[in-house]
Amino acid sequence: ERMEKAVDHLSSEYRGIRSGRATPGLVENIRVDYYGSQQPLKATSSIAIPEPRLVVIKPFDPSSIKDIEKALQTSDLGIQPSSDGKLIRLEIPPLSEERRKQLASLVKEKGEDARVAIRNIRRDGNRQADKAEKDKKISEDEQHDLKDEIQKLTKQYEEKVDDLLKRKTDEIMEV
């Protein structure tokens, strides 16, 4: 369960990393000061992708458009929003080769962080198995079987991380 959460977390991190095309994941979790509290953008607006390189944001409350613009400008997206008073448009520029390499490196780093989290979970599971055997709750054979099962799960989730990493890197590097 914890390994699944680590993979889900990585997947959500990857959604926020810009590739050459527009996706709602780029902006949906940007925090907006909405009536005195910080809300994710997806809770304050509808987000649409009418074209491959365009994100259109329509606030549920038109009076909050300035706050949304401000949140987009201060985010680390690096894209200047344009507004007509009702809608906010984000034009996604094509990525330079240097920026693609930076993003690929960031994606790899986040993938490695997820692998480390999965290995830490494996270590915790192995410790629990050792403790259960020491406390005579399970036999030595059951302990070995449990450790084998934990290792199998670790491999399975590391493969999921590798798959996510490869897909995101391919998405970023495509021209």
Side-chain angles (χ1 to χ4, degrees):
E1 195 174 293
R2 288 172 55 203
M3 288 181 184
E4 186 68 43
K5 283 182 185 171
V7 171
D8 288 345
H9 177 73
L10 178 66
S11 181
S12 72
E13 292 260 320
Y14 281 176
R15 275 196 297 276
I17 294 177
R18 198 175 109 190
S19 62
R21 70 174 77 106
T23 64
L26 285 175
V27 295
E28 65 187 11
N29 291 318
I30 291 176
R31 308 300 276 181
V32 178
D33 185 24
Y34 193 68
Y35 294 112
S37 70
Q38 293 290 315
Q39 297 289 326
L41 184 61
K42 65 183 174 186
T44 64
S45 313
S46 66
I47 302 168
I49 312 295
E51 298 171 25
R53 294 196 183 273
L54 183 68
V55 178
V56 175
I57 301 163
K58 184 172 192 237
F60 300 136
D61 176 6
S63 67
S64 67
I65 203 158
K66 293 285 182 217
D67 294 326
I68 293 171
E69 271 187 280
K70 187 173 146 194
L72 289 167
Q73 288 169 342
T74 58
S75 74
D76 59 357
L77 264 183
I79 301 172
Q80 195 60 33
S82 65
S83 167
D84 64 5
K86 295 177 186 158
L87 294 175
I88 298 173
R89 290 179 180 77
L90 290 174
E91 185 98 22
I92 310 293
L95 296 170
S96 68
E97 190 62 32
E98 183 182 332
R99 184 66 179 142
R100 286 178 196 277
K101 287 178 181 170
Q102 286 175 343
L103 289 172
S105 164
L106 176 68
V107 164
K108 188 175 181 182
E109 207 175 284
K110 289 186 181 294
E112 191 52 43
D113 290 346
R115 279 193 207 96
V116 167
I118 288 169
R119 290 180 193 135
N120 287 341
I121 295 164
R122 174 184 62 192
R123 185 193 61 223
D124 293 346
N126 285 340
R127 280 189 186 151
Q128 288 177 348
D130 290 341
K131 186 176 178 341
E133 195 267 331
K134 186 179 167 199
D135 294 345
K136 304 284 186 229
K137 292 181 181 172
I138 60 173
S139 70
E140 201 173 313
D141 287 344
E142 288 173 320
Q143 177 202 22
H144 284 291
D145 291 346
L146 197 54
K147 283 187 170 186
D148 288 345
E149 184 66 28
I150 290 169
Q151 183 57 37
K152 227 177 0 181
L153 282 171
T154 302
K155 266 195 178 332
Q156 180 184 338
Y157 282 99
E158 281 183 336
E159 285 171 8
K160 286 183 180 185
V161 167
D162 291 341
D163 184 48
L164 281 172
L165 172 64
K166 182 182 178 345
R167 279 191 293 175
K168 190 62 178 184
T169 303
D170 290 348
E171 184 181 316
I172 288 171
M173 296 310 279
E174 79 182 21
V175 180

